[in-house]
Amino acid sequence: MGTALLHTDQTIISYTIAAVALPLAASIINFCLPVKSKAAGWISTLAILVGCVLSAIVFARVWNQQPLHTQKLWFTIGNTKVFAGILLNNLSALLLLLVSLIALPVHIYSTAYMKHDDRYSRYFTYLSFFCFSMLALVVADSMVLFYAFWELVGFSSYLLIGFWFTKDKAVQANKKAFIMNRIGDIGLLSAIIIIFAQFHTFDIDALFGQHGLVKFMGPDNGQWAFAPDRMPSNYGSVWTRGAMTTLPAIWQYIACAGIFLAVAAKSAQFPLHTWLPDAMEGPTSVSALIHAATMVAAGVFLLGRVYPLFTDTELTVLAVIGCFTAFMAATIALTQNDLKRVLAYSTISQLGYMILAMGVGAYGSSLFHLATHAFFKCLLFLVAGVVIHEMQHIKEENNLDIDPQNIQYMGGLRKKLPLTFIVAIVGSLALIGIPLTSGYLSKDGILIQAFEWSEGRSAWLKLIPAGALFTSWLTAFYVSRLIVKIFFGEFRLLKHHPDIKLHISDGGWQYRVPLILLAVCSLFPLFSLNPFFYEKAWLFESLKPAEFMARENIYHTIIPIGVNILSVFVMYAAYAIYVKRNTFSFPQTGFFYRLSYNQWYLDKIYKKVIVKPILGLGKTCFWFDRNIINGLIHSIERLSRAVADLTAWCDKYIVDGFLHSMAALVQSIGNFARKFQNGKVQYYLYSMLLIVLVLFILKILI
């Protein structure tokens, strides 16, 4: 049955459906166009532009209002009715607008970045389909519907990462991303089945909403049952206990583990993070969309949706993994020379901050950082696209054999790419978390609340905020290293090729407008008029917990000051090391350098411990199938043929021979008897006389 809605609510639902459906319509239209049609880019851009306007209207009507929920019966299996509908609350409205806002500049940018590609319309077909999948994911109200779009997000990202399928690395990268995300999908599907077995509903609002069932249940005496400390006083008027099943507590742990697997796979958290750096083989504009606010943000969004499911212990585990992932990825980014891979590990690190924030109870700060990170990380990826595009132009114009993504060949590009340089500085400062940027507001909120959370906890758990703090300084160093190697100093390629031609620029308006738009969104005014206090940000105020107490301890003062003062020193140190080159330089050898440069050897470990054994098992199974199973089948086949041949011989020479002999005997008797039927009476008389004599003799003898 459908949910009764007011006229204004029906309008908002219609706008939401239109915002989600427009990219799908663009994808279908583009699919029907010739592969080189330039109309595809503007069809997709127009669709996402209109969807962005509609999303903004939906956001304005839904934000800080009562959730809007409508659903209709989808299908029935036995006595189970599965509904499908739309759920709009602060979380879904935020992501609906955020995905549209990030997708719009990426679409505009892509019309120029991909204009020479032979499969131009196919690119926008995939891009629009991805946007449709992600937008539908954030408004789905059913776990079944959510899972369907979760899979479509993974599938469309597979198409985009492997868009340049003629490159072997791109093919390997999209297969790796697809397989590792399937691990997470198995976890999510298992969790959905367990949750349904416990609560007999797939409805996200009924499960995790303001009065959701999950909030009032937890592990208790070995059972996943009602927790008295969680139940409100009016519990009896809200839900009926008899509608649920009590499962052993182990199933709650398994469900949370399944959710974590899904989050770790989509949001590239340890140990399922290794697909993301390899995914940089896709077009840079794809990286800007997928690895800023869409696919990788889907894991954090899922965590926000099912947040009440997790107990304090499970949240602590999330905090530990998030902190470790942030630190590990930051250490790897320190030594990478591939421009996009540095940004990829930066993304993993920042996602670790978001997971850490969820784990320490900083729900609002986690989603706040998700929003701010989307803008400045998308900006940095688009900056990388401009730089790589111009380096590729230099490579082709001068017939050079270089990797256009290797920052070792760059330097001094601020003179040739002034606008790109300015917006890169803005994005980098936001990523580091320097005041007057949005990143300062969201990251400091996470650090402060992490230290507040650690108060009164064990010394081991105090390492979590300390690790996050140290990671922020690592971030300052690797981001500064990246910027100074690209834009400062001298153009290092000239040292080896002094006669090369440099005809490069910031590009046309399709490059400039998205960069300027994202740079403006990376500054503080979009989120708060107060550039120093994260508590004043409108987004945080709407998402913070009811019991939040603002600025009640020294952390709110000492952490921002300490972090930023040391970050400035770290930034200057990077400049001195890589530009002035008159200070201490880090050795390019040693255990820690190799550990960082080889990405903690995790890929090699996975290949040795997991991939090779699986391939070995596959080869063993293939050999067993080919030699044992097939050998047995072929032996049975040969035996069957031998039996068939013997049967055929017996049938031909014994059975048929006996029958032919009988036929010949009957034929001989017939031929003999026919001689007595010649029509002559005297022969008949002789025959009768002969028979009488024979009978008479026989009678005498017997």
Side-chain angles (χ1 to χ4, degrees):
M1 62 180 181
T3 306
L5 295 171
L6 299 175
H7 176 70
T8 54
D9 293 341
Q10 290 175 342
T11 302
I12 296 303
I13 293 297
S14 299
Y15 285 173
T16 303
I17 294 173
V20 172
L22 280 170
L24 177 62
S27 179
I28 294 172
I29 293 171
N30 290 340
F31 183 77
C32 299
L33 294 176
V35 292
K36 294 185 179 181
S37 174
K38 295 299 184 283
W42 297 112
I43 291 172
S44 292
T45 303
L46 179 62
I48 205 67
L49 173 62
V50 176
C52 189
V53 173
L54 295 174
S55 298
I57 296 172
V58 171
F59 179 83
R61 297 286 185 86
V62 173
W63 190 253
N64 285 341
Q65 303 299 319
Q66 286 296 318
L68 187 57
H69 186 198
T70 183
Q71 58 181 196
K72 290 186 178 181
L73 182 63
W74 187 9
F75 59 87
T76 302
I77 300 178
N79 295 325
T80 302
K81 294 182 178 180
V82 179
F83 293 85
I86 291 175
L87 173 61
L88 293 173
N89 55 14
N90 277 1
L91 178 58
S92 53
L94 172 64
L95 266 293
L96 183 70
L97 178 60
L98 185 63
V99 172
S100 301
L101 281 176
I102 295 299
L104 179 58
V106 171
H107 275 72
I108 297 172
Y109 182 96
S110 296
T111 57
Y113 191 78
M114 300 296 293
K115 67 180 180 181
H116 297 300
D117 196 274
D118 292 335
R119 301 171 65 246
Y120 184 85
S121 69
R122 193 67 72 237
Y123 168 82
F124 281 98
T125 299
Y126 297 162
L127 197 67
S128 292
F129 185 69
F130 177 86
C131 290
F132 156 72
S133 303
M134 188 66 200
L135 291 168
L137 173 77
V138 302
V139 299
D141 79 323
S142 163
M143 295 297 286
V144 175
L145 202 59
F146 182 94
Y147 185 77
F149 289 116
W150 179 274
E151 290 293 330
L152 287 181
V153 167
F155 172 67
S156 50
S157 67
Y158 167 83
L159 297 176
L160 287 169
I161 293 169
F163 180 74
W164 287 325
F165 57 84
T166 53
K167 295 167 55 180
D168 183 64
K169 286 185 177 180
V171 174
Q172 297 300 324
N174 74 343
K175 287 196 295 185
K176 185 176 183 178
F178 191 80
I179 292 171
M180 295 197 79
N181 274 275
R182 294 296 73 74
I183 298 172
D185 296 346
I186 293 172
L188 178 58
L189 181 61
S190 302
I192 292 173
I193 294 171
I194 292 169
I195 291 170
F196 178 77
Q198 173 76 345
F199 299 104
H200 303 295
T201 181
F202 294 109
D203 192 315
I204 292 175
D205 190 44
L207 290 166
F208 309 105
Q210 184 178 359
H211 299 292
L213 291 166
V214 172
K215 284 187 175 182
F216 312 138
M217 300 190 73
D220 184 29
N221 293 324
Q223 296 293 314
W224 188 6
F226 290 95
D229 58 328
R230 292 189 177 190
M231 281 188 275
S233 57
N234 64 337
Y235 171 76
S237 63
V238 178
W239 297 106
T240 302
R241 298 190 186 195
M244 288 163 286
T245 303
T246 300
L247 296 176
I250 186 66
W251 291 109
Q252 191 272 344
Y253 304 138
I254 295 174
C256 287
I259 294 293
F260 169 73
L261 276 179
V263 171
K266 273 291 192 290
S267 291
Q269 295 298 284
F270 178 83
L272 300 178
H273 65 283
T274 56
W275 67 268
L276 183 57
D278 291 353
M280 298 298 109
E281 294 298 331
T284 306
S285 49
V286 168
S287 302
L289 181 64
I290 291 181
H291 306 132
T294 51
M295 179 178 175
V296 295
V300 180
F301 172 77
L302 169 62
L303 203 53
R305 272 289 198 223
V306 304
Y307 195 67
L309 180 66
F310 289 82
T311 64
D312 289 342
T313 302
E314 291 158 350
L315 289 175
T316 300
V317 174
L318 282 180
V320 171
I321 293 174
C323 179
F324 175 75
T325 303
F327 170 75
M328 175 196 64
T331 61
I332 294 173
L334 293 172
T335 58
Q336 301 305 304
N337 294 318
D338 186 298
L339 172 53
K340 289 175 67 177
R341 289 182 80 87
V342 173
L343 294 178
Y345 280 108
S346 171
T347 300
I348 296 172
S349 182
Q350 297 305 305
L351 289 166
Y353 271 110
M354 299 174 207
I355 301 301
L356 182 155
M358 286 287 186
V360 300
Y363 177 89
S365 289
S366 177
L367 296 174
F368 185 18
H369 195 55
L370 186 153
T372 61
H373 174 264
F375 290 107
F376 60 72
K377 187 52 63 66
C378 183
L379 171 61
L380 289 173
F381 268 115
L382 295 188
V383 165
V386 173
V387 172
I388 293 169
H389 183 270
E390 298 308 313
M391 290 296 294
Q392 181 69 27
H393 179 69
I394 294 173
K395 174 184 176 179
E396 293 174 354
E397 186 179 24
N398 297 278
N399 295 317
L400 301 177
D401 183 19
I402 62 169
D403 179 5
Q405 296 183 189
N406 193 328
I407 61 176
Q408 301 285 51
Y409 296 119
M410 304 175 192
L413 292 180
R414 71 184 188 280
K415 302 171 186 177
K416 298 289 185 179
L417 309 173
L419 176 63
T420 304
F421 167 66
I422 293 171
V423 298
I425 291 296
V426 173
S428 299
L429 292 177
L431 177 54
I432 294 170
I434 297 300
L436 305 184
T437 65
S438 60
Y440 166 81
L441 295 171
S442 58
K443 183 181 285 188
D444 273 16
I446 294 174
L447 293 174
I448 291 169
Q449 290 175 83
F451 274 97
E452 291 176 339
W453 170 84
S454 68
E455 285 293 310
R457 297 180 185 268
S458 67
W460 287 107
L461 293 181
K462 292 184 186 296
L463 292 175
I464 292 176
L469 187 64
F470 184 68
T471 300
S472 68
W473 294 323
L474 293 178
T475 303
F477 186 85
Y478 72 70
V479 172
S480 300
R481 171 182 177 267
L482 182 70
I483 293 300
V484 299
K485 273 184 167 279
I486 295 173
F487 294 105
F488 289 89
E490 298 299 326
F491 190 54
R492 285 179 288 278
L493 201 56
L494 286 173
K495 294 181 179 180
H496 305 286
H497 306 278
D499 299 327
I500 61 174
K501 302 174 183 179
L502 299 179
H503 299 144
I504 59 176
S505 68
D506 289 308
W509 70 269
Q510 294 106 314
Y511 289 126
R512 295 170 181 263
V513 170
L515 293 177
I516 294 172
L517 173 64
L518 291 167
V520 171
C521 292
S522 298
L523 299 173
F524 74 91
L526 180 64
F527 297 97
S528 175
L529 296 178
N530 188 323
F532 301 109
F533 297 156
Y534 74 93
E535 304 95 326
K536 301 298 182 181
W538 59 266
L539 197 156
F540 178 79
E541 286 185 335
S542 300
L543 295 173
K544 67 184 179 182
E547 65 275 10
F548 177 77
M549 298 292 292
R551 311 197 71 78
E552 62 179 2
N553 54 50
I554 194 65
Y555 292 131
H556 291 262
T557 302
I558 194 172
I559 289 177
I561 294 175
V563 167
N564 286 284
I565 289 176
L566 194 53
S567 292
V568 170
F569 280 110
V570 169
M571 292 163 63
Y572 178 76
Y575 176 80
I577 292 170
Y578 294 106
V579 177
K580 290 187 175 182
R581 296 187 179 277
N582 57 358
T583 58
F584 172 75
S585 180
F586 293 105
Q588 305 295 295
T589 57
F591 171 75
F592 290 109
Y593 175 82
R594 292 195 303 271
L595 182 68
S596 171
Y597 187 77
N598 291 288
Q599 299 119 54
W600 285 43
Y601 297 99
L602 288 174
D603 260 328
K604 294 181 179 179
I605 292 172
Y606 288 167
K607 286 181 180 179
K608 186 173 182 179
V609 176
I610 299 175
V611 176
K612 284 188 176 180
I614 290 177
L615 290 177
L617 177 62
K619 291 179 180 178
T620 301
C621 292
F622 176 74
W623 180 89
F624 186 81
D625 177 69
R626 188 172 185 178
N627 294 279
I628 306 300
I629 304 298
N630 285 359
L632 177 63
I633 292 173
H634 292 159
S635 299
I636 295 173
E637 175 197 8
R638 288 191 291 269
L639 178 62
S640 299
R641 284 186 176 184
V643 171
D645 292 341
L646 178 62
T647 304
W649 186 88
C650 292
D651 181 68
K652 183 176 182 179
Y653 293 103
I654 297 179
V655 177
D656 285 358
F658 175 74
L659 293 176
H660 292 161
S661 300
M662 293 298 295
L665 176 63
V666 171
Q667 185 179 19
S668 300
I669 295 173
N671 290 335
F672 175 76
R674 190 181 298 117
K675 294 178 181 180
F676 299 99
Q677 303 293 326
N678 55 11
K680 296 180 179 180
V681 176
Q682 59 270 31
Y683 282 110
Y684 296 155
L685 291 175
Y686 292 151
S687 298
M688 290 174 62
L689 179 61
L690 179 61
I691 291 170
V692 170
L693 288 174
V694 169
L695 291 174
F696 181 75
I697 293 170
L698 289 174
K699 187 175 181 180
I700 292 174
L701 294 173
I702 295 172

